[in-house]
Amino acid sequence: MLIGHQPKEFLLAVSGLTVSFDGFKAVNDLSFYVEENEIRVIIGPNGAGKTTVLDLICGKTKATEGSIQFRGKELTKLKENEIVKTGVGRKFQTPSVFEDLSVFENLEISFPRGRSVFGSLTFQRDAKVKERVEEVAEMIFLKDKLSTYADELSHGQKQWLEIGMLLIQDPDLLMLDEPVAGMSVSERAKTAELLNRIIKNRSVLVIEHDMKFVEDIAHKVTVLHQGQILSEGTMEKVKNDPKVIEVYLGH
Amino acid sequence: MIINSRFFNRSELIGFVSLAVLLFLILPLSLDIFRLNLVAKYLTYAFVGIGLVLCWGYGGILSLGQGVFFGLGGYCMAMFLKLEASSVANTKIQSTPGIPDFMDWNQLTAVPMFWKPFYSFPLTVLAIIIVPGIFAFIIGAAMFKRRVGGVYFAIITQAIAAILTILIVGQQGYTGGINGITDLRTLYGWDIRTDHAKFILYFVEVVLLFGCIIAAQFIRLTKLGRILVAMREQEDRVRFSGYSVANFKIFAFCAAAIFAAVGGAMFTLEVGFMSPSFVGIVPSIEMVIYTAVGGRMSIFGAVYGSLLVNFAKTMLSESFPQLWLFGLGGLFIAVVLAFPSGLSGIWADYVQPRIDRLLSSRKPKAAWTESSVADGAPAE
Amino acid sequence: MFGDYSLGDLGAILAMQGFAGLILFSVYVLMALGLAIIFGQMGVINMAHGEFMILGAYVTWMTSTTVQHYAPWLFPGYFFIAMTLAFIASGSLGMLVEWAMIRHLYRRPLDTLLATWGLSLILQQAYRSVFGAREVGVELPDWMMGSWQATDSIQIPINGMFVMALTILITIAVSYVLFWSSWGKQVRAVVQNRVMAGAVGINTEKVDRYTFGLGCGIAGIAGSAFTMIGSTGPTAGQLYIVDTFLVVVFGGAASLLGTIASAFSISQTQSTLEFFMSGSMAKVITLLTIVAILMMRPQGLFALKVRK
Ligand SMILES: Nc1ncnc2c1ncn2[C@@H]1O[C@H](COP(=O)(O)OP(=O)(O)O)[C@@H](O)[C@H]1O
Ligand SMILES: [Mg+2]
């Protein structure tokens, strides 16, 4: 497979990653590599460990074994907020936005400046911040909702807002956990359009069930099953892999 | 500064001005010095309340140990006054003249080292801020870095309040025990027990209170204030937006501790003594209820809550002592069940709209930058 | 401070203090058991738990005086009647409270804490109005008095052993109910997924009410045991609430075995230390140790790894 490559060519190099919850290995000796500007989709049945992989990369869960190299930095040793600063952004499976704050404030909090206690006390809402917030709001179809409180948004709009909060961080690696789940058909189409626009100039790791959506965007697909890689490659290759057909696409 | 282009929105400004008029003019002019001193005593709890608004209302961190910081501030001040009151001339009849009476009663022959700095007033003032600040920092760092929060934090702070009380009561020789530090007289030779002194101290306290209100309002309006709200809702999202959640919690907790300590120090000056009965579990949780009654999200609410609940307490426990606990207990339940945003919520829901209709402003709706600042969080 | 005693003396002291701590241990276990059920299974912080215990203590006291007065022949066995009544009284009050207050506050644990604190104030005042501010104590039947001479230097109080045995029985019964009975399965189903449990036909409201009632009922029994070590007054319960919460948290909420182990270590530390220093310093040191350990191991001693 990819054995011959030097790890530093990759943006993200996950190797031998294992996490065990009281003996249960949710992710088991997992290795995969993501290149610059690559769009990688992870698929797999429920409970395969997809969300856990993202949790491990962004530091929410600590790995039992293995390493995660991002631009040559070892992520398993960093705290969550430090991982964010190296350029990894993460969207959760259920939309998590700040419901008691307005759309503007939600985006502003994610603006990468003044992240220390002192910095946030002296943070100024200057022209640059406003410009960037408006720009991102435009992208996520929420331009005219800037002063709306996030709890008044629809489910789909919340998903977009959370994506917007990642965009404003301008991460090199964007990780999205089921971004179109629970969306209406028209919202889905808009989200695909949105994703196609924002994935330029960065690598993206997406978990998704919607096969049509996956075919549309994926450069490469990784199929996960019981914490291990079942198959990896182009959508075409994966689709025709008998093992995959058996455990996943078959039903 | 852009974010502070409007420090108070209109209703906050009304709240601020009316509170200033009430505390600076109406109360001093209409109350006799005894009642005014009572108000001053009630207001010392408002300092605690303002801190709790930041830490609990905004940050979602419920501390049931604010009495600890109130007490630390109070004891620092009390020790200074006590040392001044224990001059050799005043304490000739003791077996060791020149040390506080309670130390003498407990066979101490010298002021212990850790109380020595309290011979100096500047050091005392410093200690009032620093000691509770550091203590809160240690507790906060130990707990928040390990992601202890919610009810666990509440219970542990409560245990700390219990520990400190038992310690103060047990270590009579160093702390004055159950009676506390009493018989305080002068500050730099100025007798704090006279009516005139009480009058002046009242104003000193109100000025400090407004200082705290402005500081809290400033914090609330910065991005830090919004991060506190964000953290309360979605801690993980804040973390994955690149912030160290623990540091922000520590900040809020330390700020609340320092506010409480200032209140405690003023309490000692107003009332003339300090005792463990203002440190433990019961006073600490009562301070939370003053804040809840005023509205846990409202800085002004904290002031009114402290005034009203304490006023009710004095009235009821003077005339119907057995009713007071029923009243206080009922208040806890009612505020939590029926009025989670307290008096300020009632004001915002029922009174404010009427006033607005009366004034029926013809101004167009504020632009988003302004309104998102002004309405960043519900307040008075 | 250990220097003044020979090793043999020290052993005897530790053993004696250990047995003296038995009743405290039993009260802690029974209180903590109730709290752990309510907190661990329902996520509710019941600050009025001490008052439910005191209700049990008052019921015990009333039973003892009534029996003494009207049916002296029953006196030797009155404790069993008293305990049953205490369980029923505290349990019913608990169910009433759950219906009137707690059920509106699920998912807001900090608010349950404040509201139940309010309830505790009301109950304290109610006890004061009904029973007076004076503390009352019960008389023990003859067979419970005295102690058993284990060796020539070790004596074990009989009431201590009695309460101990009772505690073990109740603990076993509670574990049975929670872990093996079908009702316990329902409780745990509700804990894990309220919506799903409702969907498969479990009456979640009823489960909540009975769980809360059971927790409070056990506190009532703790109150019965309590009458043997302390006198009952309106505010006596408040003194125990923080300690018992620490017992629960220290043991790792939701782990019954952890609760028992933690009650044991805390009560034994406390009563052993009490021999060497003043009661208040013993308490300070015990509490400080717990808080320090909790700061290092916030999940408690015996917590399971759970998904957040
Ligand atoms: N913190 C945790 N503790 C225990 N088990 C966990 C934890 N996180 C995930 N799991 C388990 O790991 C498995 C994989 O979960 P997840 O990554 O959410 O699957 P997916 O996202 O692929 O549906 C599941 O069986 C889940 O129960
Ligand atoms: Mg998942």
Side-chain angles (χ1 to χ4, degrees), chain A residues 21 24 26 45-52, chain C residues 307:
Chain A
F21 298 114
F24 168 69
N46 267 328
K50 305 181 297 291
T51 300
T52 309
Chain C
R307 191 171 195 176

Side-chain angles (χ1 to χ4, degrees), chain C residues 25 28-29 32-33 171 247-248 250-252 255-269 301-302:
Chain C
F25 165 61
Y28 273 168
V29 168
L33 217 53
T171 311
V247 168
V248 173
F250 191 57
S255 144
L256 287 190
L257 200 68
T259 305
I260 294 165
S262 116
F264 185 76
S265 39
I266 292 178
S267 61
Q268 290 306 314
T269 313
L301 281 184
F302 305 92

Side-chain angles (χ1 to χ4, degrees), chain A residues 58 60 80-81 90 92 96-97 100 104-105 108-109 113-115 120-121 124-125 149 162 169, chain B residues 1-2 147 222-224 226 232-234 236-237 239-244 248 368 372-373 375:
Chain A
C58 73
K60 188 164 187 258
E80 292 97 324
N81 58 315
R90 156 84 190 269
F92 293 100
S96 59
V97 297
D100 283 352
F104 185 93
E105 289 166 334
E108 181 193 57
I109 283 190
R113 193 212 295 159
R115 279 165 167 172
S120 65
L121 273 175
Q124 306 272 312
R125 185 179 285 175
Y149 281 91
E162 198 181 348
Q169 293 174 15
Chain B
M1 286 199 283
I2 296 170
R147 312 260 163 100
T222 60
K223 192 171 81 167
L224 193 143
R226 297 190 286 282
R232 189 189 60 202
E233 297 295 310
Q234 293 281 350
D236 267 339
R237 186 69 267 164
R239 206 167 271 137
F240 293 110
S241 301
Y243 298 93
S244 159
F248 285 86
W368 56 261
S372 59
V373 171
D375 305 333

Side-chain angles (χ1 to χ4, degrees), chain B residues 248-318:
Chain B
F248 285 86
K249 288 190 173 177
I250 294 171
F251 175 84
F253 187 52
C254 287
I258 291 172
F259 286 161
V262 174
M266 284 317 295
F267 182 91
T268 302
L269 282 174
E270 300 289 355
V271 182
F273 75 99
M274 189 69 213
S275 88
S277 57
F278 305 102
V279 175
I281 295 176
V282 176
S284 297
I285 200 164
E286 280 187 11
M287 294 171 194
V288 172
I289 202 66
Y290 307 150
T291 315
V293 167
R296 59 183 87 165
M297 296 293 285
S298 163
I299 294 169
F300 299 120
V303 180
Y304 288 110
S306 309
L307 278 178
L308 288 178
V309 180
N310 278 292
F311 179 68
K313 181 177 184 171
T314 311
M315 294 295 289
L316 276 180
S317 48
E318 267 170 17

